[in-house]
């Protein structure tokens, strides 16, 4: 794999810092309602916000902390082991390892971009930024090393490219409609979007509408047409989607446990997308043929 040394150093740094950041996030603070730590205030938009009140996430809302702690758990239990295993596999020349590594780095890039831009400022800010930067550049280098080869030759003709491509198109369309529907309601009522609380803007929705939706749509079209870049991008997008949607499903469970309301559409849609992404991931990996 080209850029092996650089990717190895960056990935090692990501693993160390991610364990520290996610572990501290999980263990920090007593949580709302315990020892009287939580507190409420009214935001400048007139929305009542209940802060977590303790630990590293003390200035974040209960809703966001429920999501952050769930994502910390998924990163620690799933993301870090996936990153480590895929790095070892890629160093051994396994195509599956290289594809998994690119997807895992995509997950870490998205995750710590959202932490850097969304979380209220805390002592882990520089750690989030380093994780975001390291993940982004390791992802780019891994993608460049794959782009130099004819990735489509690593896949069996039996790969159900059309079905996977249609799933990516359908998922991107549903996510776009879900977020645009939330924005449309706020435009009609002349109020801030639901769930904005005391934050400055909708970071997750911005990342999804600006990057995830277009990338998934383009990948779906290319894969349906069996273009070389379709195989490359589909592998990356599906690994990243499976990991990210698993964390979103964990977030929904965390929010329900914390007593935070979740819309019925999100409660049904995201776990369904998660299951679909896992099935697509299995189909992609099972149809990879290793060279030699």
């Amino acid at each position: 794999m080209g850029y092996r040394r650089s990717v190895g150093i960056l990935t090692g740094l990501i693993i160390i810092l991610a364990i520290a950041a996610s572990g501290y996030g999980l263990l920090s603070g007593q949580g709302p309602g315990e020892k009287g730590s939580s507190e409420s205030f009214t935001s400048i938009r007139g929305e009542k916000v209940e802060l977590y009140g303790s630990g590293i996430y003390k200035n974040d809302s209960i809703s966001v902390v429920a999501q952050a702690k769930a994502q910390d758990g998924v990163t620690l239990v799933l993301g870090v082991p996936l990153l480590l295993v895929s790095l070892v596999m890629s160093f051994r020349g396994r195509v599956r390892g290289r594809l998994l590594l690119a997807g895992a780095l995509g997950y870490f890039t998205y995750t710590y971009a959202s932490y850097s831009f969304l979380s209220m400022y805390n002592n882990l800010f520089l750690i989030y930024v380093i994780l975001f930067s390291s993940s982004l550049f390791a992802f780019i280098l891994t993608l460049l090393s794959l782009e130099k080869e004819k990735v489509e030759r690593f896949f069996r003709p039996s790969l159900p490219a059309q079905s996977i491509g249609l799933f990516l198109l359908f998922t991107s369309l549903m996510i776009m409609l879900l977020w645009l529907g939330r924005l449309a309601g706020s435009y009609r009522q002349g109020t801030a979007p639901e769930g904005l609380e005391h934050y400055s803007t909708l970071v997750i929705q911005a990342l999804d509408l600006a990057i995830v939706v277009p990338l998934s749509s383009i990948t779906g079209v290319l894969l349906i047409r069996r273009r070389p870049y379709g195989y490359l991008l589909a592998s990356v997008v599906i690994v990243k989607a499976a990991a990210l949607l698993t964390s979103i499903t964990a977030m929904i469970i965390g929010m329900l446990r914390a007593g935070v309301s979740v819309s019925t559409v999100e409660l049904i849609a995201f776990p369904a997308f998660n299951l679909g992404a896992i099935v697509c991931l299995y189909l992609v990996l099972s149809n990879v043929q290793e060279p030699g």
Side-chain angles (χ1 to χ4, degrees):
M1 182 179 72
Y3 315 107
R4 175 179 294 190
R5 183 186 177 110
S6 298
V7 171
I9 293 172
L10 288 172
T11 303
L13 178 63
I14 293 164
I15 290 172
I16 293 170
L17 294 182
I19 290 174
S22 58
Y24 188 62
L26 280 172
L27 299 174
S28 177
Q30 298 298 321
E34 298 181 23
K35 299 182 180 180
S37 57
S38 62
E39 56 181 284
S40 301
F41 77 103
T42 302
S43 71
I44 59 173
R45 300 180 185 89
E47 184 175 358
K48 186 177 180 181
V49 180
E50 188 172 1
L51 300 180
Y52 192 68
S54 61
I56 197 69
Y57 298 131
K58 65 181 179 180
N59 293 320
D60 284 291
S61 68
I62 288 177
S63 172
V64 165
V65 175
Q67 298 173 63
K69 283 183 174 286
Q71 183 141 25
D72 286 337
V74 171
T75 296
L76 199 59
V77 173
L78 176 64
V80 169
L82 175 62
L83 201 57
L84 181 59
V85 170
S86 61
L87 181 66
V88 172
M89 289 176 63
S90 67
F91 278 7
R92 291 179 177 176
R94 300 288 297 277
V95 174
R96 287 186 181 87
R98 296 168 67 182
L99 297 175
L100 283 171
L101 179 61
L105 289 168
Y107 164 79
F108 276 86
T109 300
Y110 182 98
T111 296
Y112 286 103
S114 64
Y115 275 61
S116 298
F117 301 140
L118 176 60
S119 298
M120 297 295 287
Y121 179 83
N122 61 50
N123 291 335
L124 292 180
F125 174 74
L126 281 179
I127 302 297
Y128 298 152
V129 173
I130 294 171
L131 279 164
F132 172 38
S133 177
S134 301
S135 302
L136 175 62
F137 287 106
F139 172 72
I140 292 172
L141 292 175
T142 304
L143 209 59
L144 286 174
S145 73
L146 285 166
E147 192 270 339
K148 291 180 178 180
E149 304 180 37
K150 295 181 178 179
V151 178
E152 66 275 15
R153 68 188 173 91
F154 296 133
F155 290 91
R156 298 187 179 95
S158 58
L159 176 72
Q162 186 173 23
S163 299
I164 296 172
L166 289 173
F167 171 77
L168 291 174
L169 286 173
F170 175 75
T171 302
S172 60
L173 176 62
M174 291 298 101
I175 291 174
M176 181 181 70
L177 292 177
L178 178 63
W179 294 152
L180 291 181
R182 176 179 292 188
L183 291 172
S186 68
Y187 289 150
R188 285 196 305 268
Q189 299 169 11
T191 59
E194 179 185 355
L196 186 57
E197 299 179 319
H198 61 307
Y199 298 95
S200 59
T201 192
L202 298 172
V203 173
I204 299 302
Q205 286 74 11
L207 290 172
D208 286 352
L209 292 173
I211 300 175
V212 175
V213 169
L215 181 60
S216 297
S217 300
I218 293 170
T219 301
V221 171
L222 291 175
L223 191 60
I224 290 171
R225 299 177 67 183
R226 290 188 177 270
R227 301 297 187 191
Y229 276 101
Y231 290 92
L232 173 59
L233 292 175
S235 305
V236 174
V237 168
I238 289 169
V239 174
K240 178 257 182 190
L244 185 61
L245 286 166
T246 299
S247 69
I248 292 175
T249 301
M251 289 179 196
I252 291 173
I253 295 172
M255 291 169 70
L256 292 174
R257 291 183 61 188
V260 178
S261 63
V262 180
S263 73
T264 304
V265 175
E266 294 177 20
L267 188 60
I268 296 173
F270 283 114
F273 295 157
N274 188 15
L275 179 60
I278 292 172
V279 172
C280 287
L281 177 60
Y282 169 77
L283 292 173
V284 168
L285 294 180
S286 63
N287 280 282
V288 170
Q289 48 189 6
E290 299 289 346

